[in-house]
Every structure is written in structure tokens, then in C-alpha cells.
Amino acid sequence: MRHDEIYMRIASVLDGEDDWVAAMATVACELHNAFAHYHWTGFYRTTSPGILKIGPYQGGHGCLAIAFENGICGAAARTGRTQNVPNVHDRPEHIACSSTTNSEIVVPIKNSEGNVVAVLDVDSDDLAAFSDEDVLLLERVCQYLELRYHA
Ligand code: SME
């Protein structure tokens, strides 16, 4: 399915849904099942200052907690910027929840004050799996979530 169709599908499925956990679970499911190169798809949430805790996800086991200082997720949370990492083995801070992961993208989700409230993390076993279209889609989805649940 094409990226813009997935975006429209997510926006349509979430229409009228005001619960944040239901939204995260639905986004993880829709994205994960839309693309064969998305091998782990899910959220980490800022549950206390500087700490991310796992949220709804699809795929194998994910680490339960990540400090902002650690991992690609921590880098996204700390900097507030998308991290598109074509080869995770080039980033020593990468946390390997799965030994088969080769690339990863993490997009921050901010509240109206600009604080990172969660990150959307997608891992792939393929090298350089995430195209500009993936970046755009995931950033659009996160902007949608920001406006709808954190404005
Ligand atoms: N690889 C991530 C950790 C989370 S898992 O991949 C699900 C990171 O380096 O932050």
C-alpha cells in the first residue's frame, strides 16, 4: 500500500477516538502491517523526566525502559529531532533489542510546550530500510498525534 494511503487510513480509523493509548496501539498495528520492511513498530513514552517507557508495539520483545542519554530513542527524545539511522552498527549508543536489526528510525512526538512526550520507533532487519517517503509518513503521523492528543 502507498504511503499516503496509509496516512489517510490512520487518520480515518482514529477519527473520533480521543484515547491516547488506543491511538498508539492502532498506529503501531496499521504501520507494522502495511510495510514488509517494518520489523518492530512501536512507541516509547516519557513517563518521568529523562525516562522513556515502552508503549504499544508490534514485533518481538522491546526493552522496557530507555534513559534519554541512551539509544537512538534517547537521541530522538533528547534532541527533539527525527533519527534515521541506515546502519545501527555505526551508532555505538544503539540499543539492540533484537540482534537482527540493521536500521532504525525514531520520530519524536511533542506536546504544545515542545516537550517530547513519546517517540515512534521503527526497526528493520534491512540495511538503510527507510526512504524519504517513510520519513515523511512517520513525521506526518506524529504531527497528527501531536495535534490531536497533545495540543
Ligand atoms: N533500538 C532502540 C531501542 C528500542 S528497540 O529497538 C525496540 C534504541 O537504540 O533506542
Side-chain angles (χ1 to χ4, degrees):
M1 205 180 287
R2 293 183 49 212
H3 288 69
D4 52 350
E5 288 175 302
I6 291 298
Y7 178 82
M8 296 308 292
R9 181 174 162 80
I10 287 172
S12 153
V13 172
L14 291 186
D15 189 35
E17 178 53 65
D18 63 2
D19 184 85
W20 172 226
V21 176
M24 287 189 287
T26 300
V27 167
C29 172
E30 294 296 334
L31 290 173
H32 192 76
N33 289 295
F35 300 109
H37 60 293
Y38 286 27
H39 295 122
W40 193 96
T41 312
F43 291 87
Y44 282 89
R45 302 154 299 121
T46 307
T47 52
S48 55
I51 298 291
L52 295 165
K53 283 275 172 86
I54 202 154
Y57 69 96
Q58 302 257 324
H61 169 88
C63 339
L64 274 67
I66 300 174
F68 274 32
E69 301 86 60
N70 299 328
I72 310 300
C73 290
R78 210 169 54 240
T79 62
R81 297 176 69 96
T82 296
Q83 308 288 305
N84 185 7
V85 181
N87 185 347
V88 295
H89 309 290
D90 290 341
R91 290 277 291 263
E93 74 272 37
H94 169 253
I95 301 165
C97 293
S98 160
S99 60
T100 58
T101 297
N102 276 313
S103 60
E104 171 164 14
I105 182 167
V106 185
V107 180
I109 298 168
K110 298 172 190 169
N111 63 15
S112 52
E113 293 167 348
N115 298 317
V116 174
V117 292
V119 299
L120 172 57
D121 178 16
V122 186
D123 295 355
S124 182
D125 292 353
D126 304 340
L127 276 168
F130 302 106
S131 65
D132 291 348
E133 271 192 304
D134 287 306
V135 175
L136 194 66
L137 169 65
L138 297 175
E139 289 185 341
R140 275 182 85 195
V141 167
C142 287
Q143 278 161 18
Y144 177 92
L145 295 173
E146 287 177 353
L147 288 172
R148 190 161 189 107
Y149 299 97
H150 299 288

